[in-house]
Amino acid sequence: MEYDDNVKKRLRRIEGQIRGVLNMMEEQQHCKDVVSQLSAVRSAADKAIAYLVAVNLEKCIIEEREAGRDSSKVVQEAIDLLVRSK
């Protein structure tokens, strides 16, 4: 799979958020604030996962249909990926 700039930007943003959380910890900031930022990181990672699965699913469905095959297996694999990511 080719990963587009959109997902790379998302991951770089997450990387920055993680650095920010580490800085907060170094500065001994309140637990509530650190947890809040970690929650934002988790949410951003979940969105990146969903984006990757959606883009890949779309491509796989098109490939399966062009080959004259049933795409239901590909859809089920995508659902399984999303369920495992939670």
Side-chain angles (χ1 to χ4, degrees), residues 1 8 13 37 46-47 49 53 72 78 84-86:
M1 177 174 171
K8 292 175 188 175
R13 198 172 309 125
Q37 287 304 308
D46 287 344
K47 288 177 183 176
I49 290 168
V53 171
S72 61
R84 279 190 303 228
S85 72
K86 289 290 179 180

Side-chain angles (χ1 to χ4, degrees), residues 1-4 7 48-64 71 73-75 77-79 81-82:
M1 177 174 171
E2 240 181 83
Y3 299 99
D4 64 21
V7 74
I49 290 168
Y51 177 81
L52 282 174
V53 171
V55 169
N56 187 56
L57 177 60
E58 180 182 21
K59 289 179 182 180
C60 289
I61 287 173
I62 291 169
E63 289 172 4
E64 291 297 303
S71 60
K73 181 181 175 186
V74 173
V75 172
E77 288 173 352
I79 290 169
L81 273 175
L82 288 173

Side-chain angles (χ1 to χ4, degrees), residues 21-66:
V21 169
L22 288 169
N23 287 336
M24 291 173 73
M25 290 175 162
E26 293 293 326
E27 296 169 359
Q28 301 291 317
Q29 292 194 18
H30 195 276
C31 170
K32 182 175 87 175
D33 297 329
V34 172
V35 171
S36 176
Q37 287 304 308
L38 284 173
S39 180
V41 168
R42 180 176 50 198
S43 176
D46 287 344
K47 288 177 183 176
I49 290 168
Y51 177 81
L52 282 174
V53 171
V55 169
N56 187 56
L57 177 60
E58 180 182 21
K59 289 179 182 180
C60 289
I61 287 173
I62 291 169
E63 289 172 4
E64 291 297 303
R65 286 188 177 162
E66 287 175 350

